[in-house]
PDB file of all heavy atoms in Angstrom:
ATOM      1  N   MET O  10      38.597 159.409  80.866  1.00  0.00           N
ATOM      2  CA  MET O  10      38.995 158.780  82.088  1.00  0.00           C
ATOM      3  C   MET O  10      38.353 159.466  83.317  1.00  0.00           C
ATOM      4  O   MET O  10      37.923 158.812  84.243  1.00  0.00           O
ATOM      5  CB  MET O  10      40.504 158.769  82.230  1.00  0.00           C
ATOM      6  CG  MET O  10      41.237 157.828  81.321  1.00  0.00           C
ATOM      7  SD  MET O  10      42.998 157.792  81.599  1.00  0.00           S
ATOM      8  CE  MET O  10      43.066 156.836  83.103  1.00  0.00           C
ATOM      9  N   VAL O  11      38.354 160.785  83.268  1.00  0.00           N
ATOM     10  CA  VAL O  11      37.779 161.534  84.389  1.00  0.00           C
ATOM     11  C   VAL O  11      36.261 161.310  84.478  1.00  0.00           C
ATOM     12  O   VAL O  11      35.763 161.082  85.597  1.00  0.00           O
ATOM     13  CB  VAL O  11      38.107 163.041  84.280  1.00  0.00           C
ATOM     14  CG1 VAL O  11      37.336 163.871  85.256  1.00  0.00           C
ATOM     15  CG2 VAL O  11      39.602 163.260  84.460  1.00  0.00           C
ATOM     16  N   VAL O  12      35.563 161.344  83.371  1.00  0.00           N
ATOM     17  CA  VAL O  12      34.081 161.170  83.400  1.00  0.00           C
ATOM     18  C   VAL O  12      33.758 159.777  83.914  1.00  0.00           C
ATOM     19  O   VAL O  12      32.902 159.645  84.789  1.00  0.00           O
ATOM     20  CB  VAL O  12      33.481 161.424  82.005  1.00  0.00           C
ATOM     21  CG1 VAL O  12      32.054 160.978  81.941  1.00  0.00           C
ATOM     22  CG2 VAL O  12      33.635 162.871  81.631  1.00  0.00           C
ATOM     23  N   SER O  13      34.401 158.764  83.374  1.00  0.00           N
ATOM     24  CA  SER O  13      34.069 157.411  83.830  1.00  0.00           C
ATOM     25  C   SER O  13      34.561 157.176  85.285  1.00  0.00           C
ATOM     26  O   SER O  13      33.901 156.481  86.056  1.00  0.00           O
ATOM     27  CB  SER O  13      34.617 156.366  82.917  1.00  0.00           C
ATOM     28  OG  SER O  13      36.030 156.485  82.810  1.00  0.00           O
ATOM     29  N   GLY O  14      35.701 157.774  85.609  1.00  0.00           N
ATOM     30  CA  GLY O  14      36.259 157.633  86.959  1.00  0.00           C
ATOM     31  C   GLY O  14      35.394 158.272  87.975  1.00  0.00           C
ATOM     32  O   GLY O  14      35.191 157.753  89.091  1.00  0.00           O
ATOM     33  N   LEU O  15      34.801 159.445  87.672  1.00  0.00           N
ATOM     34  CA  LEU O  15      33.908 160.121  88.631  1.00  0.00           C
ATOM     35  C   LEU O  15      32.666 159.289  88.865  1.00  0.00           C
ATOM     36  O   LEU O  15      32.185 159.176  89.994  1.00  0.00           O
ATOM     37  CB  LEU O  15      33.567 161.514  88.160  1.00  0.00           C
ATOM     38  CG  LEU O  15      34.605 162.547  88.345  1.00  0.00           C
ATOM     39  CD1 LEU O  15      34.196 163.888  87.711  1.00  0.00           C
ATOM     40  CD2 LEU O  15      34.940 162.766  89.797  1.00  0.00           C
ATOM     41  N   GLY O  16      32.165 158.671  87.814  1.00  0.00           N
ATOM     42  CA  GLY O  16      31.022 157.800  87.978  1.00  0.00           C
ATOM     43  C   GLY O  16      31.332 156.608  88.908  1.00  0.00           C
ATOM     44  O   GLY O  16      30.571 156.273  89.791  1.00  0.00           O
ATOM     45  N   LEU O  17      32.479 156.016  88.701  1.00  0.00           N
ATOM     46  CA  LEU O  17      32.927 154.927  89.585  1.00  0.00           C
ATOM     47  C   LEU O  17      33.174 155.394  91.001  1.00  0.00           C
ATOM     48  O   LEU O  17      32.836 154.650  91.949  1.00  0.00           O
ATOM     49  CB  LEU O  17      34.184 154.246  89.041  1.00  0.00           C
ATOM     50  CG  LEU O  17      34.007 153.343  87.835  1.00  0.00           C
ATOM     51  CD1 LEU O  17      35.371 152.920  87.290  1.00  0.00           C
ATOM     52  CD2 LEU O  17      33.195 152.118  88.198  1.00  0.00           C
ATOM     53  N   ASP O  18      33.700 156.589  91.185  1.00  0.00           N
ATOM     54  CA  ASP O  18      33.946 157.121  92.505  1.00  0.00           C
ATOM     55  C   ASP O  18      32.613 157.373  93.251  1.00  0.00           C
ATOM     56  O   ASP O  18      32.535 157.082  94.454  1.00  0.00           O
ATOM     57  CB  ASP O  18      34.748 158.430  92.432  1.00  0.00           C
ATOM     58  CG  ASP O  18      36.204 158.184  92.123  1.00  0.00           C
ATOM     59  OD1 ASP O  18      36.668 157.001  92.212  1.00  0.00           O
ATOM     60  OD2 ASP O  18      36.925 159.165  91.758  1.00  0.00           O
ATOM     61  N   ILE O  19      31.651 157.889  92.550  1.00  0.00           N
ATOM     62  CA  ILE O  19      30.320 158.115  93.180  1.00  0.00           C
ATOM     63  C   ILE O  19      29.691 156.785  93.574  1.00  0.00           C
ATOM     64  O   ILE O  19      29.176 156.607  94.658  1.00  0.00           O
ATOM     65  CB  ILE O  19      29.420 158.960  92.282  1.00  0.00           C
ATOM     66  CG1 ILE O  19      29.995 160.392  92.189  1.00  0.00           C
ATOM     67  CG2 ILE O  19      27.976 158.980  92.742  1.00  0.00           C
ATOM     68  CD1 ILE O  19      29.330 161.226  91.084  1.00  0.00           C
ATOM     69  N   LEU O  20      29.733 155.819  92.646  1.00  0.00           N
ATOM     70  CA  LEU O  20      29.195 154.484  92.947  1.00  0.00           C
ATOM     71  C   LEU O  20      29.949 153.841  94.114  1.00  0.00           C
ATOM     72  O   LEU O  20      29.306 153.231  94.999  1.00  0.00           O
ATOM     73  CB  LEU O  20      29.296 153.633  91.685  1.00  0.00           C
ATOM     74  CG  LEU O  20      28.707 152.251  91.780  1.00  0.00           C
ATOM     75  CD1 LEU O  20      27.180 152.314  91.963  1.00  0.00           C
ATOM     76  CD2 LEU O  20      29.058 151.451  90.548  1.00  0.00           C
ATOM     77  N   SER O  21      31.236 154.018  94.145  1.00  0.00           N
ATOM     78  CA  SER O  21      32.030 153.439  95.230  1.00  0.00           C
ATOM     79  C   SER O  21      31.711 154.120  96.554  1.00  0.00           C
ATOM     80  O   SER O  21      31.653 153.476  97.601  1.00  0.00           O
ATOM     81  CB  SER O  21      33.535 153.630  94.966  1.00  0.00           C
ATOM     82  OG  SER O  21      33.887 152.980  93.777  1.00  0.00           O
ATOM     83  N   GLY O  22      31.484 155.420  96.532  1.00  0.00           N
ATOM     84  CA  GLY O  22      31.098 156.157  97.752  1.00  0.00           C
ATOM     85  C   GLY O  22      29.801 155.652  98.324  1.00  0.00           C
ATOM     86  O   GLY O  22      29.667 155.427  99.577  1.00  0.00           O
ATOM     87  N   VAL O  23      28.827 155.407  97.486  1.00  0.00           N
ATOM     88  CA  VAL O  23      27.521 154.854  97.909  1.00  0.00           C
ATOM     89  C   VAL O  23      27.747 153.454  98.497  1.00  0.00           C
ATOM     90  O   VAL O  23      27.177 153.105  99.527  1.00  0.00           O
ATOM     91  CB  VAL O  23      26.524 154.859  96.750  1.00  0.00           C
ATOM     92  CG1 VAL O  23      25.275 154.087  97.114  1.00  0.00           C
ATOM     93  CG2 VAL O  23      26.188 156.284  96.336  1.00  0.00           C
ATOM     94  N   LEU O  24      28.526 152.652  97.812  1.00  0.00           N
ATOM     95  CA  LEU O  24      28.832 151.299  98.285  1.00  0.00           C
ATOM     96  C   LEU O  24      29.482 151.304  99.632  1.00  0.00           C
ATOM     97  O   LEU O  24      29.117 150.551 100.586  1.00  0.00           O
ATOM     98  CB  LEU O  24      29.660 150.566  97.264  1.00  0.00           C
ATOM     99  CG  LEU O  24      30.085 149.182  97.640  1.00  0.00           C
ATOM    100  CD1 LEU O  24      28.869 148.223  97.654  1.00  0.00           C
ATOM    101  CD2 LEU O  24      31.118 148.616  96.670  1.00  0.00           C
ATOM    102  N   ILE O  25      30.481 152.177  99.847  1.00  0.00           N
ATOM    103  CA  ILE O  25      31.172 152.278 101.118  1.00  0.00           C
ATOM    104  C   ILE O  25      30.212 152.701 102.231  1.00  0.00           C
ATOM    105  O   ILE O  25      30.231 152.159 103.319  1.00  0.00           O
ATOM    106  CB  ILE O  25      32.369 153.242 101.020  1.00  0.00           C
ATOM    107  CG1 ILE O  25      33.457 152.644 100.132  1.00  0.00           C
ATOM    108  CG2 ILE O  25      32.929 153.607 102.382  1.00  0.00           C
ATOM    109  CD1 ILE O  25      34.552 153.626  99.769  1.00  0.00           C
ATOM    110  N   TRP O  26      29.350 153.655 101.923  1.00  0.00           N
ATOM    111  CA  TRP O  26      28.386 154.141 102.898  1.00  0.00           C
ATOM    112  C   TRP O  26      27.461 153.007 103.303  1.00  0.00           C
ATOM    113  O   TRP O  26      27.201 152.826 104.483  1.00  0.00           O
ATOM    114  CB  TRP O  26      27.553 155.314 102.312  1.00  0.00           C
ATOM    115  CG  TRP O  26      26.595 155.862 103.274  1.00  0.00           C
ATOM    116  CD1 TRP O  26      26.882 156.806 104.274  1.00  0.00           C
ATOM    117  CD2 TRP O  26      25.204 155.577 103.348  1.00  0.00           C
ATOM    118  NE1 TRP O  26      25.685 157.085 104.946  1.00  0.00           N
ATOM    119  CE2 TRP O  26      24.682 156.345 104.425  1.00  0.00           C
ATOM    120  CE3 TRP O  26      24.366 154.752 102.619  1.00  0.00           C
ATOM    121  CZ2 TRP O  26      23.347 156.300 104.796  1.00  0.00           C
ATOM    122  CZ3 TRP O  26      23.032 154.707 102.993  1.00  0.00           C
ATOM    123  CH2 TRP O  26      22.546 155.473 104.035  1.00  0.00           C
ATOM    124  N   CYS O  27      26.999 152.214 102.354  1.00  0.00           N
ATOM    125  CA  CYS O  27      26.100 151.106 102.662  1.00  0.00           C
ATOM    126  C   CYS O  27      26.827 150.034 103.481  1.00  0.00           C
ATOM    127  O   CYS O  27      26.231 149.530 104.441  1.00  0.00           O
ATOM    128  CB  CYS O  27      25.595 150.450 101.365  1.00  0.00           C
ATOM    129  SG  CYS O  27      24.416 151.482 100.489  1.00  0.00           S
ATOM    130  N   VAL O  28      28.059 149.729 103.166  1.00  0.00           N
ATOM    131  CA  VAL O  28      28.819 148.732 103.946  1.00  0.00           C
ATOM    132  C   VAL O  28      29.039 149.227 105.362  1.00  0.00           C
ATOM    133  O   VAL O  28      28.844 148.429 106.312  1.00  0.00           O
ATOM    134  CB  VAL O  28      30.190 148.449 103.255  1.00  0.00           C
ATOM    135  CG1 VAL O  28      31.118 147.714 104.164  1.00  0.00           C
ATOM    136  CG2 VAL O  28      29.968 147.694 101.955  1.00  0.00           C
ATOM    137  N   LEU O  29      29.351 150.480 105.541  1.00  0.00           N
ATOM    138  CA  LEU O  29      29.520 151.002 106.879  1.00  0.00           C
ATOM    139  C   LEU O  29      28.245 151.018 107.692  1.00  0.00           C
ATOM    140  O   LEU O  29      28.230 150.742 108.872  1.00  0.00           O
ATOM    141  CB  LEU O  29      30.152 152.415 106.834  1.00  0.00           C
ATOM    142  CG  LEU O  29      31.607 152.500 106.435  1.00  0.00           C
ATOM    143  CD1 LEU O  29      32.060 153.929 106.328  1.00  0.00           C
ATOM    144  CD2 LEU O  29      32.470 151.711 107.359  1.00  0.00           C
ATOM    145  N   ARG O  30      27.112 151.347 107.072  1.00  0.00           N
ATOM    146  CA  ARG O  30      25.820 151.310 107.748  1.00  0.00           C
ATOM    147  C   ARG O  30      25.493 149.937 108.205  1.00  0.00           C
ATOM    148  O   ARG O  30      25.049 149.702 109.342  1.00  0.00           O
ATOM    149  CB  ARG O  30      24.700 151.810 106.820  1.00  0.00           C
ATOM    150  CG  ARG O  30      24.765 153.285 106.474  1.00  0.00           C
ATOM    151  CD  ARG O  30      24.427 154.152 107.602  1.00  0.00           C
ATOM    152  NE  ARG O  30      22.993 153.940 107.941  1.00  0.00           N
ATOM    153  CZ  ARG O  30      22.397 154.520 108.873  1.00  0.00           C
ATOM    154  NH1 ARG O  30      22.993 155.395 109.693  1.00  0.00           N
ATOM    155  NH2 ARG O  30      21.109 154.299 109.108  1.00  0.00           N
ATOM    156  N   VAL O  31      25.766 148.918 107.361  1.00  0.00           N
ATOM    157  CA  VAL O  31      25.477 147.523 107.741  1.00  0.00           C
ATOM    158  C   VAL O  31      26.462 147.106 108.895  1.00  0.00           C
ATOM    159  O   VAL O  31      26.035 146.484 109.854  1.00  0.00           O
ATOM    160  CB  VAL O  31      25.621 146.593 106.521  1.00  0.00           C
ATOM    161  CG1 VAL O  31      25.615 145.113 106.963  1.00  0.00           C
ATOM    162  CG2 VAL O  31      24.491 146.853 105.519  1.00  0.00           C
ATOM    163  N   ALA O  32      27.688 147.465 108.755  1.00  0.00           N
ATOM    164  CA  ALA O  32      28.692 147.104 109.803  1.00  0.00           C
ATOM    165  C   ALA O  32      28.317 147.730 111.132  1.00  0.00           C
ATOM    166  O   ALA O  32      28.373 147.043 112.164  1.00  0.00           O
ATOM    167  CB  ALA O  32      30.058 147.592 109.339  1.00  0.00           C
ATOM    168  N   PHE O  33      27.938 148.982 111.157  1.00  0.00           N
ATOM    169  CA  PHE O  33      27.549 149.619 112.407  1.00  0.00           C
ATOM    170  C   PHE O  33      26.250 149.040 112.956  1.00  0.00           C
ATOM    171  O   PHE O  33      26.093 148.881 114.164  1.00  0.00           O
ATOM    172  CB  PHE O  33      27.388 151.142 112.269  1.00  0.00           C
ATOM    173  CG  PHE O  33      28.730 151.842 112.169  1.00  0.00           C
ATOM    174  CD1 PHE O  33      28.925 152.833 111.198  1.00  0.00           C
ATOM    175  CD2 PHE O  33      29.743 151.580 113.011  1.00  0.00           C
ATOM    176  CE1 PHE O  33      30.124 153.498 111.092  1.00  0.00           C
ATOM    177  CE2 PHE O  33      30.984 152.241 112.951  1.00  0.00           C
ATOM    178  CZ  PHE O  33      31.136 153.192 111.984  1.00  0.00           C
ATOM    179  N   SER O  34      25.313 148.678 112.099  1.00  0.00           N
ATOM    180  CA  SER O  34      24.063 148.104 112.600  1.00  0.00           C
ATOM    181  C   SER O  34      24.274 146.708 113.168  1.00  0.00           C
ATOM    182  O   SER O  34      23.500 146.248 113.973  1.00  0.00           O
ATOM    183  CB  SER O  34      23.001 148.078 111.498  1.00  0.00           C
ATOM    184  OG  SER O  34      23.360 147.163 110.505  1.00  0.00           O
ATOM    185  N   LEU O  35      25.302 146.015 112.738  1.00  0.00           N
ATOM    186  CA  LEU O  35      25.621 144.697 113.251  1.00  0.00           C
ATOM    187  C   LEU O  35      26.477 144.766 114.527  1.00  0.00           C
ATOM    188  O   LEU O  35      26.804 143.741 115.067  1.00  0.00           O
ATOM    189  CB  LEU O  35      26.334 143.842 112.205  1.00  0.00           C
ATOM    190  CG  LEU O  35      25.475 143.456 110.994  1.00  0.00           C
ATOM    191  CD1 LEU O  35      26.330 142.734 109.917  1.00  0.00           C
ATOM    192  CD2 LEU O  35      24.335 142.600 111.434  1.00  0.00           C
ATOM    193  N   GLY O  36      26.841 145.949 114.927  1.00  0.00           N
ATOM    194  CA  GLY O  36      27.533 146.115 116.157  1.00  0.00           C
ATOM    195  C   GLY O  36      29.044 146.375 116.029  1.00  0.00           C
ATOM    196  O   GLY O  36      29.729 146.419 117.038  1.00  0.00           O
ATOM    197  N   TRP O  37      29.531 146.576 114.843  1.00  0.00           N
ATOM    198  CA  TRP O  37      30.989 146.835 114.672  1.00  0.00           C
ATOM    199  C   TRP O  37      31.295 148.232 115.131  1.00  0.00           C
ATOM    200  O   TRP O  37      30.557 149.186 114.825  1.00  0.00           O
ATOM    201  CB  TRP O  37      31.373 146.672 113.204  1.00  0.00           C
ATOM    202  CG  TRP O  37      32.803 146.990 112.941  1.00  0.00           C
ATOM    203  CD1 TRP O  37      33.837 146.166 113.127  1.00  0.00           C
ATOM    204  CD2 TRP O  37      33.365 148.213 112.491  1.00  0.00           C
ATOM    205  NE1 TRP O  37      35.023 146.789 112.818  1.00  0.00           N
ATOM    206  CE2 TRP O  37      34.757 148.060 112.412  1.00  0.00           C
ATOM    207  CE3 TRP O  37      32.810 149.438 112.136  1.00  0.00           C
ATOM    208  CZ2 TRP O  37      35.600 149.059 111.985  1.00  0.00           C
ATOM    209  CZ3 TRP O  37      33.649 150.478 111.719  1.00  0.00           C
ATOM    210  CH2 TRP O  37      35.064 150.252 111.672  1.00  0.00           C
ATOM    211  N   THR O  38      32.369 148.406 115.869  1.00  0.00           N
ATOM    212  CA  THR O  38      32.826 149.735 116.272  1.00  0.00           C
ATOM    213  C   THR O  38      34.360 149.768 116.006  1.00  0.00           C
ATOM    214  O   THR O  38      35.039 148.768 116.154  1.00  0.00           O
ATOM    215  CB  THR O  38      32.585 150.059 117.767  1.00  0.00           C
ATOM    216  OG1 THR O  38      33.293 149.087 118.563  1.00  0.00           O
ATOM    217  CG2 THR O  38      31.099 149.974 118.101  1.00  0.00           C
ATOM    218  N   PRO O  39      34.830 150.914 115.617  1.00  0.00           N
ATOM    219  CA  PRO O  39      36.277 151.005 115.289  1.00  0.00           C
ATOM    220  C   PRO O  39      37.165 150.979 116.530  1.00  0.00           C
ATOM    221  O   PRO O  39      38.347 150.834 116.409  1.00  0.00           O
ATOM    222  CB  PRO O  39      36.396 152.373 114.591  1.00  0.00           C
ATOM    223  CG  PRO O  39      35.202 153.156 115.026  1.00  0.00           C
ATOM    224  CD  PRO O  39      34.137 152.160 115.323  1.00  0.00           C
TER     225      PRO O  39
END
């Protein structure tokens, strides 16, 4: 569970980073 979960967490972190980069480039601000 830990090995597969860490893989998913790393993949999720990259996905979140990409989504935030796109959101900020489109003009979204918090």
Side-chain angles (χ1 to χ4, degrees):
M10 288 184 76
V11 170
V12 169
S13 60
L15 283 175
L17 284 172
D18 285 346
I19 291 169
L20 183 66
S21 301
V23 171
L24 178 67
I25 290 169
W26 183 82
C27 291
V28 167
L29 289 176
R30 293 288 293 179
V31 169
F33 285 135
S34 69
L35 293 175
W37 179 81
T38 62

